[in-house]
Amino acid sequence: VTVILAAVVSTLVLGLGGDVQSTPQASFSFDYDQSAGTVTVTHTGGADIDINDATVTGATTSFSWDTGVDTDSKVTAGETGTADVDPADQLQVVWNGGEGKSSILASYQVPS
C-alpha cells in the first residue's frame, strides 16, 4: 500500500499524470473528379475532430471544410471539403493536437 501511495503521489507531483491528448480515431474517404481537377474529402466515421485540429495538406490550393462544419466547429461523419489538385499530388488529413503533436489520419495519392 505504501509503495502504491508513493507512486500515485510522485506521479501527481511530477506532472506525469497530466492531460494526455490521444490521436482521434477517424476515417476519411477521397473522391477524385479528374475532369474538375478536385478531390472531395469526406469524414466517414469515428471521432469528431475540432475544425482547428483537422487540416488537409498537399492540395494545389488551400483546403477548407464545407460551410456546414463551421456551425458546430467539429468535423463529423458525413461532412466534406473539396480541394483543387494536380495529378500525382499526395493529400493527407492531419490531426494537430498541439504541443508539437500531430498524426496523419488518412492519405490519398491523386492518380497521374
Side-chain angles (χ1 to χ4, degrees), residues 47-109:
D48 296 348
I49 303 171
D50 188 289
I51 191 169
N52 297 315
D53 295 340
T55 58
V56 175
T57 62
T60 302
T61 60
S62 61
F63 175 89
S64 63
W65 295 101
D66 292 339
T67 55
V69 176
D70 294 333
T71 61
D72 62 4
S73 299
K74 298 280 185 185
V75 179
T76 60
E79 295 180 319
T80 63
T82 304
D84 293 330
V85 295
D86 287 328
D89 279 353
Q90 175 74 34
L91 298 182
Q92 296 179 326
V93 179
V94 179
W95 171 77
N96 302 296
E99 298 180 17
K101 298 175 187 172
S102 66
S103 294
I104 297 170
L105 300 178
S107 62
Y108 176 73
Q109 179 73 46

Side-chain angles (χ1 to χ4, degrees), residues 5-84:
L5 184 58
V8 170
V9 170
S10 66
T11 299
L12 293 174
V13 170
L14 295 174
L16 300 176
D19 292 335
V20 176
Q21 189 173 13
S22 61
T23 302
Q25 300 299 309
S27 300
F28 296 86
S29 67
F30 300 86
D31 183 32
Y32 177 48
D33 183 342
Q34 184 176 8
S35 62
T38 60
V39 169
T40 300
V41 180
T42 304
H43 183 300
T44 57
D48 296 348
I49 303 171
D50 188 289
I51 191 169
N52 297 315
D53 295 340
T55 58
V56 175
T57 62
T60 302
T61 60
S62 61
F63 175 89
S64 63
W65 295 101
D66 292 339
T67 55
V69 176
D70 294 333
T71 61
D72 62 4
S73 299
K74 298 280 185 185
V75 179
T76 60
E79 295 180 319
T80 63
T82 304
D84 293 330

